[in-house]
Amino acid sequence: MPAELAAGGTDQYGQFNAPPSPEQLRRYFILDDRDHTRIASKKGKHNRLGYALQLTTLRFLGTFLLNPLDVPPNVLRFVARQLGVQAKQVKLDRYRQGETKWDHQRDIGQTYGYRVFSEPAVWIGLIRFLMARTHLQAESPSLLLDRATARLYEHNIILPGVTTLSRLIARVQERSETQLCDRLVALLSAPDTSPE
């Protein structure tokens, strides 16, 4: 997982906050033979480049961008070069305005083994993970957001919107606090059975 995903909170969630470094470009944005085969099946340079940008963005950020072409210039050039096209010559507005980008997102998720957050097993698993963390120690919502993001990223789960994840964390923290209070009240209310 890119280091900047591990610490940043809501203002850095699911977006490029700086152009990726050369090392990050080599790690997350290089297209392998499988990628090239999949991309080659797409019609038109704009669709091939758009697909490749969405695939590499997902690998790097753990999510798709609302505007799949809203990537730093060095990412655009790096990916386009691998496809043997010049980004300036590709009519990317056709990709941005078309519906194909949504089909590509579904295809990328299925082809590369990504799961969506809305699957019950995914969010239930995350709730259990967060409950366990909140029972162990008090952590700030931003730290829990970082931990939840890292967990989802590591398990190839496409990150939901930051509001969705933040609300889930708030509910888990509230439930955990309620359970702790209930346990404390039960302990304090229990009859004293110690010998005198």
Side-chain angles (χ1 to χ4, degrees):
M1 174 174 174
E4 50 280 347
L5 287 183
T10 59
D11 57 334
Q12 295 185 1
Y13 181 91
Q15 63 184 340
F16 288 95
N17 297 297
S21 68
E23 178 184 319
Q24 290 170 323
L25 287 173
R26 287 189 297 276
R27 182 167 182 194
Y28 298 98
F29 296 90
I30 290 206
L31 302 170
D32 62 21
D33 291 341
R34 177 185 182 199
D35 301 336
H36 280 287
T37 300
R38 195 78 190 162
I39 291 164
S41 70
K42 308 304 170 202
K43 295 183 178 177
K45 291 179 184 177
H46 64 289
N47 283 326
R48 288 190 291 275
L49 182 54
Y51 187 96
L53 288 171
Q54 290 212 81
L55 172 60
T56 54
T57 296
L58 178 60
R59 285 180 180 158
F60 184 67
L61 296 177
T63 192
F64 295 107
L65 298 172
L66 289 177
N67 174 358
L69 305 175
D70 194 16
V71 298
N74 69 330
V75 168
L76 181 60
R77 286 190 305 272
F78 189 81
V79 172
R81 193 175 312 125
Q82 292 176 74
L83 299 177
V85 298
Q86 291 205 353
K88 292 177 184 176
Q89 296 175 349
V90 178
K91 295 177 179 148
L92 288 173
D93 280 342
R94 289 176 66 190
Y95 191 78
R96 181 182 290 116
Q97 296 166 358
E99 295 297 313
T100 305
K101 61 184 171 255
W102 310 119
D103 295 332
H104 286 178
Q105 288 180 4
R106 280 187 295 281
D107 182 71
I108 290 167
Q110 291 170 353
T111 301
Y112 292 90
Y114 284 88
R115 297 168 59 198
V116 292
F117 185 75
S118 59
E119 291 179 25
V122 169
W123 54 265
I124 289 170
L126 184 62
I127 288 171
R128 287 181 179 147
F129 168 78
L130 291 169
M131 285 298 288
R133 293 221 49 97
T134 58
H135 283 277
L136 290 174
Q137 60 188 348
E139 293 179 322
S140 69
S142 63
L143 183 56
L144 284 173
L145 177 67
D146 291 342
R147 292 190 190 288
T149 301
R151 182 172 175 83
L152 294 171
Y153 184 94
E154 290 164 5
H155 288 88
N156 279 357
I157 297 163
I158 299 169
L159 299 177
V162 68
T163 304
T164 299
L165 201 50
S166 296
R167 285 181 182 158
L168 177 68
I169 289 166
R171 283 194 301 258
V172 166
Q173 284 185 303
E174 184 178 320
R175 182 175 171 196
S176 182
E177 289 169 8
T178 300
Q179 288 177 352
L180 177 61
C181 287
D182 290 347
R183 274 188 249 133
L184 289 173
V185 167
L187 285 172
L188 294 172
S189 302
D192 186 8
T193 58
S194 60
E196 293 186 25

